[in-house]
């Protein structure tokens, strides 16, 4: 008869984790590995929330959480590791308190900071696995390169609107993120959850699968997404698996002759900040713009004008100023006749959007189309809500 | 032939797929796509392409470096990275 080593699990651990101990693919040996493992979760948001909850529940020994944001009310719709009472406090602390209520045996290390080239290597080297649950392109390339240099598997997912993507990079001969996406997208083509929206269940599904893959890697079960990308379409309910390439021998980071051998400036590389905030553009001269205060007095003194709101219809339906003429920026070229009916050359047109970026592009377009007397309202409706009408909704 | 759009490609085209005239190579296919949807051109170089659920380089080579030839029945997918979370 074969003599088996006795498990090191305590009675408390045996009863706590019994449902997964009963799985032949995990068992006592798998649980012992889970308890000894350490996982770094970068981003305590929509993806990071289910990752943290399920990994803590499963008994991961040490969880690192990196996030530099404070919790906002608009996070709660999807970031289920947080709760209302913590709004305004650092997300890492909020997540830590939830995790410790769930499983006090899990050691939690918090990093209330922006991960960048100066600190990434020191933090990541302390962990077995890295989970990319970030919300921006620059941090995705940073985590990829650091994981390659430190030989850590990178369990990566992204979610936006009703779509999700997931791959395990840099593991078992599979590619790194750069092998698949060598070129970062132009900054002005990247839609973030802040602008594009996302349903909480979508990040929940993708984050849950990330947690599953982490547990498989930790316990030695073969990961299902090495050299495979999962595409989830929440609208049609379809899960597609794309067979992706193995490691690219010509990859600048993980290839046979790498040209990038230390962390670089990722904000410069991507042309976009390491966050999901929309930058405020300044496209127009000051003479083509007015402040919300000036616009307020135009309204108060009932000066004849057209207020053109160029936001998408879903945003316009949330809230708008009275007497707005609504033409989404994307449709402006097709629907210019609607504006022309308002005799725009006889009185000024003031263009507004959510934050004052599209409205500037719209003013440029109108001027090119022969409508000269038009102005952008600086900062858009967000600024209106902040400076003029505190009762105006923000989203 | 049918090209499926994912994530950002779906958003900029406002469409889940495109029907493009039959072509034989990936570069020809990409030309057809940009002709149909000029708004794809800034994101195209950053996308991943898959033919019948398998990765293909934008140059038209598969992971082994072989030039692939497209068939009418192929399912082609245009997949930009999703970076939100």
């Amino acid at each position: 008869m074969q003599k088996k080593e006795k498990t090191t699990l305590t009675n408390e651990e045996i009863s706590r984790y019994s449902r997964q101990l009963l799985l032949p693919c995990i068992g006592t040996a798998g649980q012992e590995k889970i308890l000894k493992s350490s996982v770094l979760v970068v981003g305590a948001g929509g993806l990071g929330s289910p990752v943290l909850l399920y990994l803590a529940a499963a008994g991961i020994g040490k969880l690192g959480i990196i996030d530099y944001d404070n919790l906002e009310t608009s996070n709660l719709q999807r970031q289920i590791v947080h709760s209302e009472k913590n709004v305004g406090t650092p997300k890492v602390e909020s997540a830590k308190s939830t995790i410790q209520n769930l499983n006090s045996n899990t050691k939690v290390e918090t990093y209330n900071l922006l991960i960048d080239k100066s600190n990434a290597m020191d933090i990541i080297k302390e962990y077995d696995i890295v989970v990319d649950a970030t919300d921006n392109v620059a941090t995705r390339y940073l985590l990829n390169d650091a994981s390659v240099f430190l030989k850590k598997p990178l369990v990566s997912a992204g979610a936006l609107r009703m779509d999700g993507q997931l791959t395990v990079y840099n593991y078992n001969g599979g590619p790194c993120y750069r092998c698949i996406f060598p070129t970062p997208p132009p900054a002005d083509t990247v839609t973030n959850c802040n602008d594009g929206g996302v349903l909480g269940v979508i990040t929940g599904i993708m984050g849950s699968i990330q947690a599953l893959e982490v547990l498989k890697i930790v316990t030695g079960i073969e990961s299902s997404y090495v050299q495979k990308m999962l595409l989830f379409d929440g609208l049609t309910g379809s899960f597609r698996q794309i067979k992706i390439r193995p490691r690219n021998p010509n990859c600048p980071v993980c290839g046979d002759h790498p040209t990038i051998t230390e962390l670089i400036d990722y904000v410069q590389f991507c042309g976009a900040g390491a966050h999901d905030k929309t930058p405020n553009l300044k496209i127009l001269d000051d003479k083509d713009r007015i402040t919300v205060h000036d616009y307020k007095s135009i309204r108060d003194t009932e000066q004849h004008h057209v207020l053109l709101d160029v936001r998408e219809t879903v945003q316009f339906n949330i809230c708008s100023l009275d007497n707005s003429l609504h033409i989404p920026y994307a449709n402006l070229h097709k629907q210019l006749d609607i504006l022309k009916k308002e005799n725009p050359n006889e009185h000024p047109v003031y263009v507004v959007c959510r934050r004052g970026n599209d409205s500037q592009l719209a003013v440029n377009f109108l001027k090119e189309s022969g409508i000269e007397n038009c102005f952008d309202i600086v900062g858009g409706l967000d600024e209106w809500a902040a400076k003029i009408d505190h009762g105006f909704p923000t989203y | 032939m049918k090209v499926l759009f994912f994530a950002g490609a779906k958003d900029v085209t406002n469409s889940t797929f495109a029907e493009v005239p039959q072509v034989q190579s990936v570069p020809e296919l990409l030309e057809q796509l940009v002709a149909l949807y000029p708004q794809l051109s800034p994101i195209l170089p950053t996308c991943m392409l898959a033919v019948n659920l398998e990765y293909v380089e934008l140059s038209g080579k598969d992971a082994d470096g072989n030039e692939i030839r497209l068939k009418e029945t192929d399912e082609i997918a245009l997949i930009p990275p999703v970076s939100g979370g």
Side-chain angles (χ1 to χ4, degrees), chain A residues 225-345:
Chain A
Y225 295 103
V226 174
Q227 259 180 262
K228 277 189 200 135
M229 181 179 289
L230 170 67
L231 303 178
F232 173 58
D233 178 341
L235 262 188
T236 60
S238 88
F239 286 88
R240 269 192 176 73
Q241 273 190 26
I242 307 287
K243 187 168 174 271
I244 56 178
R245 59 164 317 131
R247 185 182 69 89
N248 180 0
N250 299 317
C251 174
V253 178
C254 76
D256 295 339
H257 307 285
T259 52
I260 299 168
T261 53
E262 57 185 33
L263 297 179
I264 60 170
D265 183 335
Y266 295 89
V267 172
Q268 190 185 32
F269 174 64
C270 298
H275 53 69
D276 75 338
K277 312 290 184 285
T278 307
N280 292 323
L281 305 178
K282 187 170 184 304
I283 299 161
L284 299 174
D285 287 342
D286 288 341
K287 68 174 175 43
D288 296 323
R289 313 182 78 188
I290 66 164
T291 65
V292 285
H293 297 286
D294 291 343
Y295 181 64
K296 167 87 165 39
S297 61
I298 287 165
R299 278 179 90 89
D300 289 348
T301 53
E302 297 182 4
Q303 295 176 36
H304 204 62
H305 71 280
V306 178
L307 175 64
L308 176 65
D309 187 324
V310 295
R311 291 172 300 152
E312 298 280 323
T313 303
V314 278
Q315 296 190 32
F316 187 79
N317 289 344
I318 296 172
C319 56
S320 63
L321 289 174
D322 289 345
N323 303 319
S324 302
L325 176 70
H326 177 225
I327 308 174
Y329 174 62
N331 302 352
L332 205 49
H333 60 289
K334 285 188 296 203
Q335 299 183 337
L336 206 55
D337 50 322
I338 301 177
L339 177 62
K340 284 184 175 162
K341 281 188 197 137
E342 305 286 331
N343 302 319
N345 283 328

Side-chain angles (χ1 to χ4, degrees), chain A residues 46-47 134-137 140 158-159 161 163 165 177 180-181 183-186 189-190 231 233 240-245, chain B residues 4 6-8 10-11 42-43 45-50 53-55 57 62-64 75 77 79-85:
Chain A
L47 294 166
T134 57
D135 57 12
N136 67 86
V137 181
R140 287 180 186 272
R161 299 183 197 259
D163 287 301
Q165 273 178 8
Y177 188 70
I180 304 299
F181 298 114
T183 313
T189 69
V190 178
L231 303 178
D233 178 341
R240 269 192 176 73
Q241 273 190 26
I242 307 287
K243 187 168 174 271
I244 56 178
R245 59 164 317 131
Chain B
L4 304 177
F6 287 87
K10 200 161 58 179
D11 295 336
I43 64 167
T46 70
C47 285
M48 181 175 97
L49 198 70
L53 302 178
E54 288 211 21
Y55 168 92
E57 278 182 21
D62 65 17
D64 300 323
E75 183 200 80
I79 307 159
V82 170
S83 51

Side-chain angles (χ1 to χ4, degrees), chain A residues 102-135:
Chain A
L102 173 62
N103 192 343
S104 57
N105 303 308
T106 295
K107 185 166 184 271
V108 181
E109 202 75 59
T110 57
Y111 304 90
N112 187 11
L113 49 78
L114 178 67
I115 187 167
D116 62 19
K117 66 185 261 197
S118 73
N119 53 29
M121 297 291 278
D122 281 341
I123 298 172
I124 292 174
K125 72 176 181 348
E126 301 296 325
Y127 294 86
D128 303 329
I129 298 176
V130 182
V131 174
D132 182 345
T134 57
D135 57 12

